[in-house]
Amino acid sequence: MSSTAGKMVTSRSELELDHPNIEDYLPSGSSINEPRGKLRLRDLLDISPTLTEAAGAIVDDSFTRCFKSNPPEPWNWNIYLFPLWCCGVVVRYCILFPLRCITLAFGWFIFLSTFIPVHSLLKGQDRLRKKIERVLVEMICSFFVASWTGVVRYHGPRPSIRPKQVYVANHTSMIDFIVLEQMTAFAVIMQKHPGWVGLLQSTILESVGCIWFNRSEAKDREIVARKLRNHVQGTDNNPLLIFPEGTCVNNNYTVMFKKGAFELDCTVCPIAIKYNKIFVDAFWNSRKQSFTMHLLQLMTSWAVVCEVWYLEPQTIRLGETAIEFAERVRDMISHRAGLKKVPWDGYLKYSRPSSKHSERKQQSFAESILARLEVK
């Protein structure tokens, strides 16, 4: 596959994200008491398109662009294409979706009818039980990928069970784990989820050594760090998989990598994941959509197309800090998957500033612009 085949073709909707609406950043009239008779910034922007564009560039928020879904360009815009689009909807929802549900249900039947007896009856034979459970987890993940008509191409050597190594990958959705797990039974570190996903985490996935944490619990960090160090030292433990961004990003960007995975004194194996948006956008916006609805969206699409690259293992260099090591690995993943690097901490997604803080920033920005204009 050529190096240019995986690159994203920029659509008009993505370009619009690069030019935010300046009105969203201007203070409202009710929030700031402006002196009468003075020229307001809003008035200047109304009469000067150039100034509007320049101000928009100043306040461009590249952070929020990392977590925005980019809707596809509509193609059913005329009388010739609309009937074809209607036929496609009928095929996806009335033919493909029921078949995919049957496929997934069949997979769960085989999995549970085998996993429950193995997990219960082979407790005294840990080595055999773990081997069978690995195969079963890989199998059920394959059924999940089949339920999306997943077209996944893997490049590079398949991961193997070795001590003192950790795999790190960019993060777009929880399906990243499923896509990687169908090839290798990874032990993943992941946020604890409620509902049926949490039930799977606490029962099935813990059998392959997965580690869960609660982002709101400060004590969990120390516990998780200790579990990570113990896991990578084991000779028979499943390969450890970490998503160092700490949150789902829209597969156009990579945010800062947390340094925890790079402080374990072990080999780091980068994995680059790139989804093709030709049929569906695989990004999971957890603030707007539950994971159940996200799966339904994938199951009612035509297909999920994905490329996975297992990159060359890396070790920390002499004199290199953990943060520098993390950035070097992020460079490799971003370059291979064609993603843009941004200098943001993904955890800011969960700790937005208050409205009063934003209002003060808006007022300060408006006053600084007006002061410069008055000086001139």
Side-chain angles (χ1 to χ4, degrees):
M1 183 176 182
S2 65
S3 59
T4 58
K7 291 185 179 179
M8 177 185 63
V9 178
T10 306
S11 64
R12 185 177 64 185
S13 60
E14 291 170 325
L15 289 175
E16 288 172 355
L17 294 177
D18 293 332
H19 299 281
N21 183 10
I22 188 61
E23 298 293 330
D24 297 337
Y25 297 89
L26 294 176
S28 61
S30 59
S31 62
I32 301 177
N33 296 322
E34 297 179 282
R36 295 185 178 180
K38 274 197 172 185
L39 183 63
R40 296 179 301 175
L41 177 61
R42 189 181 300 274
D43 298 329
L44 290 172
L45 295 180
D46 288 339
I47 63 176
S48 175
T50 303
L51 183 58
T52 302
E53 185 176 353
I58 294 174
V59 298
D60 180 13
D61 187 359
S62 61
F63 175 76
T64 57
R65 283 183 290 162
C66 301
F67 309 103
K68 283 185 178 180
S69 301
N70 299 319
E73 289 290 327
W75 59 270
N76 56 338
W77 49 271
N78 63 25
I79 194 172
Y80 306 108
L81 296 176
F82 185 73
L84 295 176
W85 177 81
C86 291
C87 292
V89 171
V90 172
V91 171
R92 288 188 290 114
Y93 283 86
C94 299
I95 299 177
L96 292 180
F97 180 61
L99 290 175
R100 290 167 175 173
C101 288
I102 293 172
T103 299
L104 189 58
F106 179 68
W108 273 114
F109 173 77
I110 297 177
F111 175 81
L112 293 176
S113 61
T114 310
F115 182 85
I116 294 175
V118 168
H119 190 70
S120 304
L121 301 178
L122 295 180
K123 288 188 175 180
Q125 305 178 44
D126 291 343
R127 192 177 184 85
L128 177 61
R129 176 175 58 84
K130 287 182 178 181
K131 186 176 181 179
I132 297 175
E133 287 176 346
R134 288 169 185 161
V135 174
L136 290 175
V137 169
E138 291 174 4
M139 182 200 70
I140 189 60
C141 288
S142 297
F143 273 103
F144 267 105
V145 174
S147 71
W148 318 322
T149 314
V151 182
V152 186
R153 295 182 60 186
Y154 298 89
H155 309 269
R158 181 173 176 172
S160 58
I161 298 177
R162 294 178 182 176
K164 301 198 71 174
Q165 68 175 7
V166 59
Y167 288 81
V168 297
N170 57 301
H171 197 25
T172 305
S173 168
M174 274 210 300
I175 71 168
D176 299 336
F177 166 71
I178 299 175
V179 167
L180 297 176
E181 197 80 0
Q182 75 160 347
M183 287 292 290
T184 304
F186 285 104
V188 69
I189 173 173
M190 189 184 293
Q191 163 76 18
K192 182 71 175 177
H193 290 273
W196 66 271
V197 177
L199 179 62
L200 293 180
Q201 289 178 326
S202 59
T203 53
I204 296 171
L205 294 181
E206 280 194 356
S207 65
V208 292
C210 295
I211 302 171
W212 316 116
F213 67 90
N214 192 336
R215 190 174 278 110
S216 61
E217 294 291 336
K219 293 182 179 179
D220 274 11
R221 297 179 183 178
E222 299 178 3
I223 298 174
V224 168
R226 185 170 63 253
K227 288 182 177 179
L228 290 180
R229 291 188 177 90
N230 293 336
H231 186 97
V232 296
Q233 299 299 327
T235 57
D236 193 40
N237 291 334
N238 292 325
L240 182 63
L241 174 64
I242 299 178
F243 299 105
E245 289 174 298
T247 187
C248 295
V249 187
N250 65 6
N251 211 223
N252 293 333
Y253 302 88
T254 56
V255 297
M256 288 173 55
F257 280 9
K258 302 295 181 297
K259 64 178 182 177
F262 304 89
E263 294 179 321
L264 298 176
D265 190 26
C266 61
T267 302
V268 174
C269 306
I271 302 176
I273 306 173
K274 181 65 178 180
Y275 294 95
N276 192 322
K277 300 179 183 178
I278 185 172
F279 294 121
V280 67
D281 185 1
F283 170 56
W284 177 37
N285 190 340
S286 58
R287 287 183 172 272
K288 296 184 178 180
Q289 190 181 48
S290 67
F291 187 64
T292 302
M293 294 304 299
H294 180 56
L295 287 181
L296 289 176
Q297 178 186 356
L298 300 180
M299 293 177 69
T300 53
S301 66
W302 287 109
V304 174
V305 183
C306 178
E307 300 274 351
V308 176
W309 292 272
Y310 298 108
L311 305 179
E312 184 179 354
Q314 302 293 314
T315 55
I316 192 167
R317 296 170 180 170
L318 185 64
E320 189 176 41
T321 65
I323 295 177
E324 292 170 342
F325 186 22
E327 281 301 295
R328 179 161 59 87
V329 172
R330 183 162 76 114
D331 285 338
M332 293 179 59
I333 293 175
S334 301
H335 176 73
R336 177 65 272 186
L339 306 174
K340 300 176 184 177
K341 288 180 57 182
V342 292
W344 298 112
D345 186 342
Y347 280 175
L348 292 174
K349 177 182 177 181
Y350 302 97
S351 56
R352 295 294 180 85
S354 64
S355 57
K356 291 183 178 180
H357 176 77
S358 299
E359 188 174 294
R360 286 196 300 267
K361 289 292 185 181
Q362 290 173 342
Q363 182 176 1
S364 175
F365 169 74
E367 290 175 350
S368 65
I369 293 293
L370 286 174
R372 292 180 182 179
L373 293 173
E374 289 176 354
V375 170
K376 291 182 179 182

